Amino acid sequence: MKLDTKAMRHLTAEDWRVLTAVEIGSRNHEVIPTPLIESLAKLRGGASRVHKSISALAKVGLIARLKEAKYDGYRLTYGGVDYLALHTYASRKQVYSVGNRIGVGKESDILVVADDQGTQRVLKIHRLGRISFRTVKANRDYLRKRQGGSWMYLSRLAAEKEFAFMQALRDEGFPVPEPIAQNRHTVLMQFVDAFPLRQISEVPDPAALYAELISLILRLAQHGLIHGDFNEFNILIKEEREKSKPSAKGKEPEQTIEQDEKEKYTVTPILIDFPQMVSMDHQNAEMYFDRDVNCVKRFFERRFHFVSTQPGPFFKDAKKTVGKDGVKRLDAAVEASGFSKKALKDLEAAIREQQASRGEQDGSGEEYDATSMDEDEDEDGEEDEDGEGHASTDELDAKRGDREADAPSIPDMKSLLISNET
């Protein structure tokens, strides 16, 4: 769905209380009975004031009334949860304004936001289950006790897992965006001025970049982790131009147009998208490891016509390096931080079901999609590509060989103007 924050400035403190009440009721109900909403909201104006807020929230699509329900009640929509998360960030002064959606997909939406100082950040909104949740729900082995709020539960698990792994990886020096905060089904992170490898048509040294990516896979393995979706959609390429050295007289050397075009630059890979990350001890670890390696090999052969002369790497060899030389096992560290095995199992089952429903057993990948930024989707609408692109829009035009249109520039941010009186 497309997030529209215009209505936020018109919501009253009572509206926020009622919306929060609907969220609380969603933990045990698919459709929250109106009397329960009244009881949870506890507004001074009583039932009439609650109904006024319910009407206001339903009008802007934050809650929805189901026509075929056996009783009078409402369900919380993704828009409602989005608003609650943004309200929390705003109250903490972490998000002040919202800009473009720079990535869109079947499992997440990516937006540019900014704090009150104008510092740009990225907000990833997980929407696990919005496409195939009816299919997921049909296989309820892992959701029997969460039939009411299971789509919120799954999306929150995805956000919690991603944030936990981003923190652990960042602390160990891995090239990932800096995680700033996590709330409900969202993750707030550093804005990275880079483009997905998918959009890059040329790099200075394909062999060096290939070696660096394979090294990252092996380094993750040493820390006990497998990315699980290590492909051109989930690898950002940050370009940095090398400055020319001054001449002996201290003056900048004169460059011809041809020399300027051949100016040297370096590329740095940045890893993104971690909800599907698994341990090296996972029962299907070898399959996931081999898939990550083969994704890199296939892309480099297809895009850069580069084929490594080195065989592998192989899972059996990587397995021997896990925790070696005192390296911290991040799979164990994340579990110890509070993300339980049950939560991992629930999330993995949901991702597997969602992939199976679309026939994507070989992995889907995420993609920055500039062409879909202004599309309108229904609340539970379907979308084609999943993406987490962090990108500026002024550079690297020549590197987007397989895109017909450039990404639009980030417009003026829309301030949220949220009341904190809840």
Side-chain angles (χ1 to χ4, degrees), residues 99-377:
N100 264 357
R101 181 173 59 180
I102 59 172
V104 61
K106 61 187 175 299
E107 293 172 358
S108 64
D109 286 332
I110 317 297
L111 296 93
V112 174
V113 297
D115 62 15
D116 56 358
Q117 301 299 315
T119 303
Q120 289 185 357
R121 294 171 173 176
V122 165
L123 181 68
K124 180 172 183 178
I125 305 175
H126 287 271
R127 304 199 189 281
L128 189 61
R130 71 172 166 192
I131 299 304
S132 59
F133 182 60
R134 291 177 179 83
T135 302
V136 172
K137 227 175 155 186
N139 183 4
R140 295 184 177 182
D141 289 346
Y142 57 96
L143 288 177
R144 282 180 182 148
K145 296 182 180 179
R146 287 188 171 271
Q147 294 179 11
S150 49
W151 59 268
M152 286 186 288
Y153 168 66
L154 294 173
S155 296
R156 177 176 59 79
L157 284 185
E160 288 177 351
K161 182 181 179 182
E162 178 150 50
F163 186 75
F165 275 115
M166 286 180 72
Q167 282 188 315
L169 292 169
R170 182 84 177 185
D171 289 345
E172 291 299 314
F174 280 88
V176 301
E178 178 187 359
I180 298 171
Q182 180 266 322
N183 185 263
R184 293 175 174 85
H185 62 321
T186 68
V187 177
L188 185 65
M189 66 188 81
Q190 169 194 12
F191 178 89
V192 179
D193 186 7
F195 282 94
L197 181 58
R198 169 73 173 82
Q199 298 180 13
I200 306 299
S201 62
E202 180 183 350
V203 293
D205 189 346
L209 180 58
Y210 172 85
E212 190 169 0
L213 293 178
I214 294 298
S215 176
L216 278 174
I217 292 177
L218 293 175
R219 188 179 165 200
L220 284 170
Q222 191 175 9
H223 284 271
L225 296 173
I226 301 171
H227 186 279
D229 208 3
F230 197 96
N231 55 46
E232 63 271 24
F233 300 97
N234 296 324
I235 300 168
L236 302 181
I237 298 298
K238 185 175 182 179
E239 180 188 78
E240 294 178 321
R241 304 243 177 220
E242 293 183 357
K243 294 183 179 180
S244 301
K245 293 182 180 180
S247 62
K249 296 182 179 180
K251 297 181 179 180
E252 291 290 334
E254 295 183 2
Q255 290 183 317
T256 64
I257 295 177
E258 182 178 356
Q259 288 175 325
D260 187 61
E261 289 178 351
K262 294 183 178 180
E263 183 181 8
K264 292 184 178 180
Y265 61 92
T266 59
V267 293
T268 303
I270 308 292
L271 299 184
I272 58 174
D273 189 36
F274 307 103
Q276 70 292 319
M277 185 167 273
V278 298
S279 168
M280 283 289 286
D281 293 333
H282 189 277
Q283 60 181 355
N284 296 320
E286 184 170 4
M287 181 273 289
Y288 288 121
F289 181 88
D290 291 344
R291 188 174 72 180
D292 281 356
V293 171
N294 290 331
C295 279
V296 175
K297 287 178 177 289
R298 284 196 302 268
F299 179 78
F300 271 73
E301 181 177 1
R302 183 177 70 250
R303 177 61 56 83
F304 305 125
H305 308 293
F306 171 82
V307 178
S308 175
T309 58
Q310 298 288 332
F314 301 105
F315 175 77
K316 62 179 181 179
D317 297 323
K319 181 72 173 176
K320 297 175 183 177
T321 69
V322 176
K324 194 174 182 180
D325 299 327
V327 170
K328 184 178 181 180
R329 288 201 59 160
L330 298 183
D331 53 344
V334 169
E335 183 179 331
S337 69
F339 202 91
S340 67
K341 288 184 178 180
K342 181 185 181 301
L344 289 170
K345 183 179 179 181
D346 286 351
L347 184 57
E348 182 185 346
I351 292 175
R352 186 170 60 248
E353 285 283 348
Q354 199 153 351
Q355 290 177 346
S357 70
R358 282 181 165 258
E360 296 174 358
Q361 299 290 0
D362 293 331
S364 58
E366 295 201 17
E367 181 175 1
Y368 167 83
D369 191 349
T371 63
S372 60
M373 288 184 191
D374 297 319
E375 294 176 358
D376 292 319
E377 295 92 14

Side-chain angles (χ1 to χ4, degrees), residues 8-78:
M8 294 192 77
R9 64 188 64 196
H10 303 299
L11 296 184
T12 65
E14 289 82 3
D15 295 338
W16 286 112
R17 285 186 67 89
V18 172
L19 186 59
T20 302
V22 176
E23 180 188 34
I24 294 172
S26 297
R27 296 172 184 172
N28 298 308
H29 298 80
E30 180 76 28
V31 180
I32 302 90
T34 303
L36 179 59
I37 299 174
E38 296 171 3
S39 175
L40 293 171
K42 298 179 180 179
L43 295 186
R44 291 180 180 179
S48 61
R49 186 61 188 86
V50 171
H51 282 273
K52 182 179 179 180
S53 288
I54 286 177
S55 178
L57 296 171
K59 186 176 181 180
V60 293
L62 305 185
I63 60 175
R65 186 175 186 177
L66 297 189
K67 296 179 180 179
E68 299 178 0
K70 296 180 180 179
Y71 52 85
D72 183 53
Y74 294 81
R75 68 178 177 88
L76 186 64
T77 66
Y78 259 120

